[in-house]
Amino acid sequence: MLVNRVVYPPDLADRSAISPLLRRWLGALAGVLLGTVTAVSELLFSVLALLALGLARILGRRGRLLQSAVAETALALSELEIRRIARFHGRLHTDVLTPRRCRLYLGLRWSIGLLGIGVVLLLTLCLLVAGSMVSAWGLNGGWGLIENSDRVDSGLVAVAALPGILLIFVAVVGVAGVGSLDHWFVIHVLGRQSDRLLHQRVAELTSSRDHVVDAINDERRRIERDLHDGVQQQLVALGMLIGRARRADKPDKMHDLLAQAHIASQGAISELREVANRVYPIALDQSGLHAAIETMAQRASVPIRITYELTERLRPAVETVIYFVVSEAVTNATKHAFPQLVEVTVTHQRFDRVLATITDDGPGGADPSGTGLSGLARRVAALDGTLTVHSPVGGPTVVTASVPCG
């Protein structure tokens, strides 16, 4: 009888069981050591942030620079902590960071770093004491960190062995415990609990599915409207001109009608190209997002200033969404705001996101719940992105789209 049985050599079995555990513990130790270093900077930041925010409140508007500096520093330190914890203590998911939550996190997290310092010092002290006593006892030496009548004898080693082993075990487990506490705390303050994450994700996917269906229906109706009101009308006019030319009894009139028909055919072709380009621009596939935005800007009737800071191409779905956000925002601004200048910026954002910002110097007052902007919001939400519109009366109007690109 064949039995599916694999026997490992005892030493290999031990290594396969111990090595991953040892690697994880050493990783946790490295994370705790780095966390003790960052704890000092977090404690210093918390003190300085309190002073800076208090001074900013006294200064009023002139203190905005201080508030901005505190917010940027809090975001940067929190991002550094998230990377350290994800590297040494396990993967985690976080919400979009806000300065307030980051200040709360940093204001409490330094205590975990100090706990890590205590655990590491306890482990170091226990190992030093144990090492000195064992070496003195083994070498028949007369010096150790703990002695009995200036000697380290067998009786003293036997008495100190059990408490020493227990303390070393507690310190070793404490290192892993501090790492787990660090991981739990960042999830509790900045991240999302697994159950809540699951429920939130299901809700997001359900909403995104509905948004995708709505966006597709809106897109289909827009294409039908463009074809019916634009191309179809021009083709009807073209047919009428050709018909009149065929019925013309004078050569001059026939040539004149045919010339008008030729011009009408060119207009119909141009309109058809515009419709096809609005459905999906060929340049987006062939040359990428940067070239597609530049081509769109060249056709626009208002000056457009482009700042494009991406060095690599994005996923096709992300490029498509960013292009249509830029294109529709520029089109809306041209139709309704009559701006003197539209600025388009496409850049990287924290946590593997791409940020597109479209700013026009028009009179403002754009309605985010309008058909065009709400359609863009649904299209962006389908990729777990966010679209914000800031358009106070008097302008400027700023449309911002943030989309994950990882």
Side-chain angles (χ1 to χ4, degrees), residues 6 15 64 166 196 206-207 249 391:
V6 180
R15 286 199 301 270
R64 288 181 179 177
L166 288 176
R196 185 161 60 91
T206 304
S207 177
D249 52 357
S391 182

Side-chain angles (χ1 to χ4, degrees), residues 49-358:
L50 284 176
L51 297 176
L53 293 178
L55 182 60
R57 177 168 294 183
I58 295 174
L59 294 176
R61 293 185 176 180
R62 292 177 295 176
R64 288 181 179 177
L65 286 178
L66 278 175
Q67 293 177 342
S68 177
V70 170
E72 290 294 327
T73 307
L75 290 172
L77 288 176
S78 298
E79 185 179 359
L80 182 65
E81 281 294 333
I82 289 172
R83 290 182 178 178
R84 178 185 65 81
I85 293 172
R87 169 66 178 81
F88 294 105
H89 302 308
R91 299 180 60 184
L92 53 90
H93 298 279
T94 61
D95 292 327
V96 176
L97 298 183
T98 61
R100 183 176 181 180
R101 296 174 66 195
C102 290
R103 289 199 305 271
L104 173 63
Y105 171 71
L106 297 173
L108 297 175
R109 193 268 150 195
W110 59 265
S111 60
I112 298 177
L114 295 184
L115 178 62
I117 293 176
V119 171
V120 172
L121 288 178
L122 175 62
L123 177 61
T124 305
L125 179 61
C126 290
L127 292 177
L128 286 176
V129 171
S132 67
M133 293 183 67
V134 170
S135 62
W137 176 63
L139 299 175
N140 197 22
W143 183 87
L145 289 176
I146 297 178
E147 300 174 343
N148 182 17
S149 302
D150 297 333
R151 299 289 299 173
V152 179
D153 52 20
S154 300
L156 179 61
V157 171
V159 171
L162 182 58
I165 292 173
L166 288 176
L167 284 175
I168 291 175
F169 176 77
V170 168
V172 168
V173 174
V175 170
V178 171
S180 299
L181 180 62
D182 230 350
H183 189 267
W184 172 84
F185 185 67
V186 70
I187 291 177
H188 185 73
V189 179
L190 299 178
R192 294 174 281 188
Q193 303 288 343
S194 58
D195 291 342
R196 185 161 60 91
L197 175 65
L198 179 61
H199 287 90
Q200 181 176 345
R201 188 60 182 157
V202 170
E204 289 174 352
L205 290 175
T206 304
S207 177
S208 296
R209 182 195 59 190
D210 297 337
H211 289 164
V212 168
V213 173
D214 291 341
I216 291 174
N217 288 332
D218 290 345
E219 191 70 17
R220 179 179 55 80
R221 285 194 291 268
R222 186 177 66 83
I223 294 171
E224 291 175 349
R225 185 172 59 250
D226 289 344
L227 292 174
H228 181 269
D229 297 341
V231 178
Q232 183 175 340
Q233 298 302 320
Q234 293 195 17
L235 291 177
V236 170
L238 174 63
M240 293 175 64
L241 287 171
I242 294 175
R244 289 174 58 191
R246 293 181 60 187
R247 295 191 299 272
D249 52 357
K250 297 180 180 180
D252 292 343
K253 187 175 181 179
M254 181 184 67
H255 287 302
D256 183 56
L257 290 170
L258 287 176
Q260 293 181 35
H262 182 259
I263 294 173
S265 68
Q266 297 299 318
I269 292 173
S270 299
E271 181 68 21
L272 191 57
R273 285 175 178 168
E274 287 295 324
V275 172
N277 195 60
R278 286 196 292 271
V279 173
Y280 191 86
I282 298 176
L284 199 56
D285 267 345
Q286 296 178 340
S287 305
L289 179 60
H290 191 190
I293 293 177
E294 287 184 334
T295 304
M296 181 273 299
Q298 292 170 1
R299 296 197 313 270
S301 57
V302 296
I304 298 178
R305 181 187 299 160
I306 300 174
T307 302
Y308 192 89
E309 298 178 351
L310 304 183
T311 56
E312 298 179 354
R313 289 200 61 172
L314 305 170
R315 290 186 291 122
V318 178
E319 284 192 336
T320 303
V321 165
I322 295 297
Y323 172 80
F324 279 106
V325 167
V326 174
S327 176
E328 291 295 322
V330 170
T331 302
N332 289 339
T334 304
K335 286 183 177 178
H336 305 297
F338 308 104
Q340 299 297 317
L341 177 67
V342 177
E343 296 187 42
V344 175
T345 301
V346 181
T347 184
H348 274 296
Q349 197 179 19
R350 288 189 176 96
F351 306 109
D352 291 332
R353 300 177 76 91
V354 60
L355 180 69
T357 306
I358 304 94

